[in-house]
Amino acid sequence: MPDTRFDVIAIGNAIVDIMAPAQEAGIAALGLAKGGMTLVDAPRARELYDAMGPAREISGGSAANTLAGLAALGARCAFIGQVADDQFGQVFAHDIRAGGIAFETPVRDAGPPTAQCLIFVTPDGQRTMNTFLGASQFLPAAALDDEQIAAASVLYLEGYLWDPEEPRAAMRRAIAAARDAGRKVAFTLSDGFVIARHGDDFRALIADGQIDILFANEHELAALTGIEDFHEGIGHLGGKVPTVVVTRSEKGAYAISNGEHAEVPAEPIARVVDTTGAGDLFAAGFLFGYTRARPLAECLKLGAICAAEVISHYGARPEADLTELVAEMLG
C-alpha cells in the first residue's frame, strides 16, 4: 500500500461551540429548556448569541472532536466540513488548523451562516444547548478532494451528517474514493434518530462490505440490529463488519475484530462532570491505536483513557496532555 499523508481524514459537521455562563433567571427569560438541546434557526441563533455574556468559542462537531483527540495524541489528521464565509467560519478554520489538523474545504459564499451550538452553563453545571446546523448541512460532493481522501489510512464518517442530502452524497463519494485507494472506512452511528431515519442505508453499506470499522454505543447497536441482547447483537454485527466497537458508558467497551473479542472496563475518574464528547474521544483513542497496529484490547484501552479525560471537565475537547496519559501504554 502506498505511503499515506494522513492517519485519519474525517467528514463531519463543522460547528462552532459558543459557551457562556448564565443565571437561572436568564435561561427562563430566554424561554430555554434548561439542560436540553434544541435545534434553532438563524434568527434565533443570532438572538441567543446577542443575549450571551462573555463566551468561549471553539470549533466543535462530533468528527472534529475525534480529530482533535487524534491530533493531540500525535496523529496526522485532515477534516472535511462546510463553513460559510463569515466570522464563525473563520473561527472554525483557525481553531481546527491551530490544532494541527489540515482543513482545506472551500467556504460557502451563499446560503446559511456557519453552524453554531450556543451553550448556556448555569452555576449548577447544567448545559443548555441550542444548535443551528447552518452551512454544515450543505457540504457538496464537489468540495471533496479524492486525492486527499486516498492519502489517508482511514476515512472516518460522522453519522449525524448522513441526514441531509448533500453531505450524504459527498460521503458516498468519499467511501468510493477511499475504497478505490485500498483504504479503511470507519463510520460512527452518532445517534438513535439517525438510525431510525437511515438504518436501511447503513445496513446496506454493511451488507455491501463498505464499512471496515463501525462505532456505536449499546443503544445504537440494538437499534441497528433489532437485537436487545448485547452479546448477541455485537456477535451478529461482528460477522458482517471486520471491526465493531461498542461503548457501554460505565460498563466500559467491547470490540470484535476479525473474530477476536476484547473488552475493557471504564477508566476510573474522581467525578463525571460532562459526558459531552465521550464517544468522540473514545473513537480518537481507538483509531490512534488502530492506525499504529496496536492489539485490539490496547486500542480499546486508549479509547477508554481519552473518554475518561474528556468527561472529567466541561467541553468536548481534551484539556490534559493525552500523550502523557497514554505514554506508559505506548512505551
Side-chain angles (χ1 to χ4, degrees):
M1 186 181 293
D3 289 341
T4 55
R5 188 154 48 104
F6 303 109
D7 296 306
V8 179
I9 188 167
I11 302 179
N13 281 307
I15 300 177
V16 175
D17 290 338
I18 306 160
M19 187 181 301
Q23 298 301 314
E24 303 278 349
I27 295 287
L30 289 167
L32 302 176
K34 183 185 171 186
M37 196 287 282
T38 305
L39 290 176
V40 299
D41 60 14
R44 178 63 166 163
R46 186 71 212 181
E47 176 190 358
L48 293 174
Y49 182 70
D50 288 344
M52 278 183 150
R56 178 186 178 196
E57 299 172 353
I58 184 169
S59 64
S62 174
N65 291 338
T66 296
L67 290 185
L70 275 158
L73 287 166
R76 303 163 301 158
C77 301
F79 180 73
I80 300 169
Q82 189 64 67
V83 298
D85 187 12
D86 58 15
Q87 170 197 346
F88 289 122
Q90 293 172 8
V91 168
F92 183 91
H94 174 271
D95 195 60
I96 199 162
R97 289 169 182 155
I101 299 163
F103 176 55
E104 301 171 7
T105 310
V107 298
R108 186 179 177 91
D109 293 326
T114 297
Q116 303 142 46
C117 185
L118 301 113
I119 305 166
F120 295 82
V121 185
T122 42
D124 61 358
Q126 288 271 5
R127 292 156 56 92
T128 301
M129 305 170 71
N130 304 269
T131 304
F132 168 61
L133 292 171
S136 69
Q137 303 284 279
F138 296 93
L139 174 72
L144 271 57
D145 180 342
D146 290 353
E147 290 186 3
Q148 188 187 48
I149 292 168
S153 293
V154 176
L155 168 68
Y156 180 72
L157 303 173
E158 177 185 323
Y160 284 124
L161 206 54
W162 197 265
D163 200 46
E165 184 177 349
E166 269 194 283
R168 191 185 321 139
M171 287 197 280
R172 287 191 184 278
R173 172 174 160 177
I175 290 170
R179 301 211 72 82
D180 286 348
R183 306 308 188 190
K184 301 298 185 183
V185 177
F187 196 99
T188 177
L189 291 173
S190 292
D191 195 279
F193 91 85
V194 183
I195 301 167
R197 289 171 61 88
H198 303 288
D200 287 345
D201 276 357
F202 301 155
R203 286 182 280 269
L205 288 172
I206 289 168
D208 291 341
Q210 301 297 297
I211 306 297
D212 299 293
I213 310 166
L214 185 69
F215 290 95
N217 63 34
E218 57 185 331
H219 305 295
E220 294 158 1
L221 172 70
L224 185 68
T225 62
I227 300 169
E228 288 301 321
D229 181 81
F230 172 75
H231 291 285
E232 185 182 346
I234 195 170
H236 173 80
L237 267 190
K240 298 173 181 291
V241 182
T243 300
V244 180
V245 184
V246 182
T247 55
R248 309 184 72 195
S249 300
E250 72 280 359
K251 291 178 282 188
Y254 198 104
I256 300 177
S257 184
N258 298 310
E260 178 189 356
H261 294 241
E263 185 174 12
V264 298
E267 287 290 300
I269 63 169
R271 184 168 71 98
V272 176
V273 175
D274 177 11
T275 59
T276 307
D280 302 336
L281 268 294
F282 186 95
F286 185 92
L287 288 171
F288 184 75
Y290 181 90
T291 56
R292 279 148 181 79
R294 308 298 289 203
L296 184 63
E298 199 168 290
C299 293
L300 288 175
K301 176 81 169 177
L302 287 165
I305 291 170
C306 292
E309 191 285 331
V310 84
I311 66 175
S312 67
H313 57 75
Y314 288 111
R317 297 291 175 89
E319 292 183 356
D321 186 336
L322 294 185
T323 58
E324 286 189 7
L325 293 180
V326 304
E328 184 177 345
M329 256 187 69
L330 296 177

